[in-house]
Amino acid sequence: MRSDVIKKGLTRSPHRAILKCLGLTENDLEKPFIAVVNSHSEIVPGHMHLRQLAEYVKQGVRSAGGVPFEFNTIAICDGLTMGHLGMHYSLPSRELIADSVEVMVQANQFDGMVLITNCDKITPGMLMATARLNIPSIVLTGGPMLSGRLKGRTVDVTTIFEAIGEVKAGKLTLDELKMIEDKAFPGCGSCNGMYTANTMACITEALGMSLPGCATALAVSSAKLRIAKESGEKIVELVRKNIKPRDIMTKEAFENAIIVDLALGGSTNTVLHLRAIAKEAGVDLPLSMFDDYGRKIPHLCDMRPSGPHDLRELDEAGGVPALMKELKQFLHLDVVTVTGKTVWENIKDATIDNREVIRPLHNPVHSEGGLAILYGNLAPKGAVAKLSAVPSKMLRHTGPAKVYNSEEEAVTALLDGKIVEGDVIVIRYEGPKGGPGMREMLSPTAMIAGMGLVESVALITDGRFSGASRGLCVGHISPEAAEGGPIAILENGDLIEIDLPKRKINVKLDDEIIRERFAHWKPKPLKICSGYIQRYTCLVGSAEEGAVFKEKPC
């Protein structure tokens, strides 16, 4: 066992003394040492219950003959950081989480780990760590929250953010806003729809890195407690069988995850995260793969924010195993998972119990998957759009640019009534480097929807979008403005052409005009020049590569 290096032999007597100080017995020193990596936090609704799950994990580890050691990572709630300085720190936290897990596991030479996570950047950060460390690992996602209910309708994160625009448009009173505010988040868990947290949970299960049913089991359910205990038991088995993350997270497993993501109509953030995880696993996952599969995998689950169904309904319909069984003709069924079994062995007995929630292949929500990769003279290296959240009349749109150098400027313009039907809002200098941190644009997209402009106004950015965003939103435009991408030289009134069926995004300018503008272009100074974010800005790569740190020779 790896942990023998800190507990075996003459020279390790001081180490054993320290371990005995923790309460370990001589018998414990013969058992596998398991890291229980917990992202519990008292300021994140998706994580506020994870302390209880950790106790069940540790019960499972002990019952299977292992010794658990719990430690914590940081966790950021994107909802709380939205629209202000805090959002600069959200995506960068992913790298910190992966690094912190690496530091603790390598320093203490654990034999295996259970990673307890739930929200947007924490789950991918932990998966990056599992791939990097490549010791037996299993991920336990904390589960979705129940939907809020108000006067017979579902209310949630999308509802409350869009309500701000409704107030501005005179469609909602402040008293009605307060009622939504009090009901939108009814308890612990990740937000109720197919937002980034739950998309990543479903992808984790599809990758084979969490137990079947884990992604959709509600945060408040006893099923989640049982899965937590089973995860603790299973990690000891994985250690004894020496089944490692890179045995599981093969190229075929990543393809399975992309297929499930497309069928769910998941968040655009998964493009960033899957590529980052794949890089750590040594798997080549080109951006084009998302679009290649997107053209042939149908969208089967009409989930919130663009559809009516929440995660509780998906769970009751059979969850990820049932969806994967419906998709079986597209999947690699023989890849191994953390159960020690193949995908097919995990899903063969699954049943679909609600055909409105998990549609059949012959009757999909849309014939193509939920994500599209766009190219053109505005995005030579690619951009990402969430097809499943775009109104049908906005699949093709041409309009004049309204250009802003930050999210705050665009929000002010919306509040001041400067955006009209037909416009294309351009928000630049919000990429990984220029943002810095590639902020999410939920505030402006929700305001567009709340003001009734979702079927007439587009938004493009070198930043990214929340899973709660809907409408014609094109993000991850690469290269970003801060690195001299074409989005940097756009001016008010330039005609922007977006064609989702053809996967095109262009500005209608002659090449000569573009060259002339670049001749006069100068990069803008960094917005944050201190601390971790300054270091992040120096190290981070572009969005089309997953916004991971650039590799530098030692």
Side-chain angles (χ1 to χ4, degrees), residues 12-49:
R12 295 300 183 251
S13 181
H15 303 66
R16 290 192 294 273
I18 293 170
L19 293 168
K20 290 176 180 178
C21 180
L22 298 173
L24 270 66
T25 65
E26 292 288 346
N27 187 42
D28 288 332
L29 294 176
E30 302 300 320
K31 300 174 182 177
F33 281 10
I34 306 299
V36 178
V37 187
N38 195 352
S39 56
H40 167 264
S41 170
E42 292 183 347
I43 198 165
V44 184
H47 294 236
M48 66 194 223
H49 64 302

Side-chain angles (χ1 to χ4, degrees), residues 398-547:
T398 300
K402 294 284 181 68
V403 184
Y404 305 98
N405 289 330
S406 71
E407 177 190 11
E408 289 85 354
E409 291 180 18
V411 169
T412 298
L414 280 160
L415 290 171
D416 290 345
K418 294 180 179 178
I419 305 301
V420 298
E421 292 185 5
D423 283 345
V424 178
I425 300 172
V426 179
I427 305 179
R428 63 190 178 192
Y429 294 101
E430 290 287 6
K433 183 179 294 291
M438 205 178 181
R439 292 193 294 174
E440 288 185 345
M441 301 291 131
L442 179 56
S443 293
T445 60
M447 201 167 294
I448 289 167
M451 295 171 73
L453 298 172
V454 75
E455 293 190 343
S456 60
V457 168
L459 192 156
I460 69 172
T461 181
D462 53 6
R464 59 194 178 89
F465 295 109
S466 163
S469 292
R470 62 189 181 99
L472 180 49
C473 306
V474 181
H476 306 202
I477 288 178
S478 298
E480 62 173 296
E483 295 200 318
I487 192 173
I489 53 88
L490 291 181
E491 296 179 0
N492 287 328
D494 289 345
L495 281 180
I496 308 296
E497 183 180 40
I498 304 168
D499 190 325
L500 295 183
K502 292 184 178 179
R503 307 298 200 263
K504 296 292 184 183
I505 178 167
N506 290 293
V507 56
K508 292 189 172 183
L509 291 175
D510 292 337
D511 290 345
E512 184 178 340
I513 294 175
I514 292 174
R515 284 193 295 269
E516 182 180 335
R517 289 188 186 178
F518 268 121
H520 296 92
W521 174 78
K522 293 182 180 179
K524 294 190 175 297
L526 296 177
K527 297 174 185 175
I528 301 176
C529 297
S530 63
Y532 170 62
I533 294 299
Q534 181 187 30
R535 298 195 295 276
Y536 177 87
T537 302
C538 294
L539 292 171
V540 72
S542 61
E544 87 272 3
E545 296 173 344

Side-chain angles (χ1 to χ4, degrees), residues 60 80 104 134 136 149 158 160 166 236 266 292 316 320 360 419:
L80 279 177
M104 284 294 290
N134 200 35
R149 300 291 293 174
T158 300
I160 187 63
E166 293 176 27
V236 179
D292 292 342
E316 291 170 349
V320 173
I419 305 301

